[in-house]
């Protein structure tokens, strides 16, 4: 067994790390988007809008809650979820500060946005389109 390093980061970096980890799944980003459009949704309302099982949505909501991205309010048997804006502001502040330090030249922007690379890759992959003789024989028999 190896020894793992434990570095001590400041609390803001730790918080941003938790937030980014929680937002690392497309379903969680979709949940956050739904809560941004309208706060105070129940899990059932979110399930109606996202084609995932209720248990899956509940697990994603739990991860967002652990990262302090959503608040939970209980009214009788219903549980309402809403955004916790303070942590979103921390992430916004960090990203704004980080992005302001980046400078991407116009030439590099164009190369990132062009689809020329995709077509070249597609033709490159076609060179290695392997044939499986046993599968071809099975298809011709049927």
């Amino acid at each position: 067994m190896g020894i793992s390093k434990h570095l001590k980061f400041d609390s803001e970096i730790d918080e941003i790390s938790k937030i980014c980890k929680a937002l690392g799944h497309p379903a969680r980003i979709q949940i956050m988007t739904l809560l941004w459009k309208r706060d105070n949704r129940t899990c059932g309302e979110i399930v109606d809008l996202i084609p995932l099982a209720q248990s899956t949505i509940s697990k994603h909501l739990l991860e967002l809650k652990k990262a302090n991205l959503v608040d939970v309010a209980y009214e009788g048997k219903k549980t309402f979820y809403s955004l916790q804006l303070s942590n979103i502001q921390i992430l916004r502040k960090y990203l704004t500060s980080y992005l302001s330090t980046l400078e991407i030249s116009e030439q590099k922007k164009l190369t990132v946005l062009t689809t020329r690379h995709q077509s070249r890759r597609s033709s490159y992959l076609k060179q290695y389109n392997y044939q499986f003789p046993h599968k071809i024989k099975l298809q011709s028999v049927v």
Side-chain angles (χ1 to χ4, degrees):
M1 289 248 160
I3 299 173
S4 63
K5 281 187 178 179
H6 295 286
L7 298 176
K8 184 70 176 159
F9 295 102
D10 67 6
S11 61
E12 186 177 348
I13 295 295
D14 286 339
E15 197 63 37
I16 291 167
S17 172
K18 276 195 266 181
I19 292 168
C20 290
K21 184 177 179 182
L23 293 175
H25 194 283
R28 292 185 204 132
I29 293 174
Q30 184 64 41
I31 291 169
M32 293 292 290
T33 303
L34 291 173
L35 291 174
W36 189 263
K37 289 179 180 179
R38 194 187 96 216
D39 250 355
N40 294 322
R41 291 185 190 259
T42 64
C43 183
E45 291 171 345
I46 296 170
V47 169
D48 290 342
L49 298 168
I50 300 176
L52 294 173
Q54 187 272 331
S55 60
T56 304
I57 297 292
S58 289
K59 287 180 183 178
H60 287 304
L61 285 167
L62 179 62
E63 290 301 316
L64 292 171
K65 182 181 171 189
K66 285 180 188 176
N68 297 321
L69 289 172
V70 295
D71 282 326
V72 181
Y74 302 99
E75 286 184 22
K77 292 185 178 184
K78 290 188 176 187
T79 305
F80 291 93
Y81 297 90
S82 59
L83 292 178
Q84 190 179 77
L85 296 178
S86 60
N87 278 348
I88 294 170
Q89 292 299 338
I90 290 171
L91 181 63
R92 179 180 179 214
K93 177 183 160 191
Y94 173 77
L95 289 175
T96 302
S97 173
Y98 176 73
L99 292 174
S100 68
T101 63
L102 293 180
E103 290 185 28
I104 301 174
S105 68
E106 290 301 315
Q107 183 181 10
K108 289 183 181 179
K109 286 180 186 177
L110 292 175
T111 58
V112 170
L113 297 176
T114 59
T115 58
R116 185 177 42 167
H117 302 291
Q118 292 175 352
S119 61
R120 207 181 310 149
R121 182 177 178 198
S122 174
S123 62
Y124 171 77
L125 292 176
K126 286 182 182 179
Q127 294 176 24
Y128 301 100
N129 190 2
Y130 298 107
Q131 298 294 321
F132 298 100
H134 65 282
K135 289 187 177 184
I136 294 172
K137 288 177 186 176
L138 289 175
Q139 290 174 354
S140 62
V141 172
V142 176

